[in-house]
Amino acid sequence: MDTEEEKIREWIARLLDEQEAEPLRHATRLAGIGGPQVQAELLRVLKEGTLDQAFLATKTLAMMETGKEESLDVLLEVIHKPANAGKNGGLVSLLEEFDLSEKFVDLFRIYLFGNFKSSALAKAHLDYEEFVISHRTLRKAEKHRQHFLNNSPKEDEGFLLKKQEAETILKELQELLTEP
């Protein structure tokens, strides 16, 4: 008889099989099994797999009842990898499956440095999510804005738009934090 570990690996293999017509059917089964072992295997795929595999692993992790905070942290780590910068829009689209209230800085960073799709998705979250904001959050966001200003092509029209928008966002947050 198969062990639980072997069954989990088998379902993950089916999830990741490129010939599989309906991989999300297997995602639902894995999410139903749940638990730390399934999460650990899916996090490994998220970190080490292709972007398509990472997408499927994230979709499955988002369906699970537990471990969402750790899954979100790993997802953001993969999104922020320089090697994924120009092609991480699919992963950024899955952020909506998680609680982003503590992730303002990550979203601000994706907005500033992401490709068109990633940046647009991050901006939508920045505009409509409710965040926990502190002075420390604001300082970290300002650090990323400064890095953006120092390391982006200055004549680019997108640069000027992001620069202006980032300044507006940070100014509004500063005003919120200094209100009596």
Side-chain angles (χ1 to χ4, degrees):
M1 179 139 193
D2 288 341
T3 66
E4 184 78 11
E5 188 175 322
E6 288 170 334
K7 285 181 183 179
I8 291 169
R9 285 196 182 124
E10 179 183 329
W11 285 112
I12 289 177
R14 289 181 182 182
L15 173 73
L16 302 177
D17 183 352
E18 292 181 13
Q19 304 305 313
E20 180 59 50
E22 296 179 45
L24 293 180
R25 179 172 53 112
H26 304 298
T28 303
R29 181 165 298 218
L30 282 162
I33 295 169
Q37 190 173 0
V38 171
Q39 183 181 12
E41 286 295 316
L42 290 169
L43 289 175
R44 184 187 57 75
V45 171
L46 175 56
K47 288 179 185 177
E48 300 171 7
T50 66
L51 286 176
D52 288 339
Q53 292 171 337
F55 183 90
L56 290 169
T58 302
K59 195 77 173 153
T60 308
L61 288 162
M63 291 180 203
M64 293 175 61
E65 294 295 319
T66 60
K68 291 208 178 208
E69 189 174 328
E70 181 183 359
S71 297
L72 176 58
D73 289 342
V74 173
L75 174 58
L76 287 166
E77 179 184 314
V78 172
I79 288 170
H80 290 313
K81 280 184 183 176
N84 296 334
K87 52 192 178 200
N88 59 14
L91 292 177
V92 174
S93 73
L94 294 177
L95 288 172
E96 70 185 18
E97 304 284 339
F98 298 90
D99 175 8
L100 301 174
S101 62
E102 300 277 343
K103 302 300 181 185
F104 174 83
V105 174
D106 286 293
L107 288 163
F108 190 69
R109 185 173 163 198
I110 294 167
Y111 169 66
L112 290 175
F113 298 105
N115 61 21
F116 181 79
K117 181 178 181 179
S118 298
S119 185
L121 290 167
K123 180 67 169 82
H125 287 296
L126 290 170
D127 287 344
Y128 298 107
E129 254 341 288
E130 288 191 29
F131 295 99
V132 176
I133 302 292
S134 67
H135 289 286
R136 183 172 186 252
T137 304
L138 194 57
R139 283 192 304 275
K140 285 181 169 185
E142 178 58 39
K143 180 181 134 197
H144 288 296
R145 184 187 74 86
Q146 200 57 48
H147 181 72
F148 171 76
L149 294 175
N150 293 336
N151 295 296
S152 298
K154 307 295 186 259
E155 282 77 43
D156 182 66
E157 188 176 316
F159 166 82
L160 297 174
L161 183 62
K162 281 185 184 179
K163 175 185 174 198
Q164 182 180 11
E165 187 64 33
E167 288 169 358
T168 301
I169 290 169
L170 294 178
K171 181 179 178 234
E172 288 173 358
L173 289 177
Q174 183 65 46
E175 289 171 1
L176 281 173
L177 289 174
T178 56
E179 282 183 359

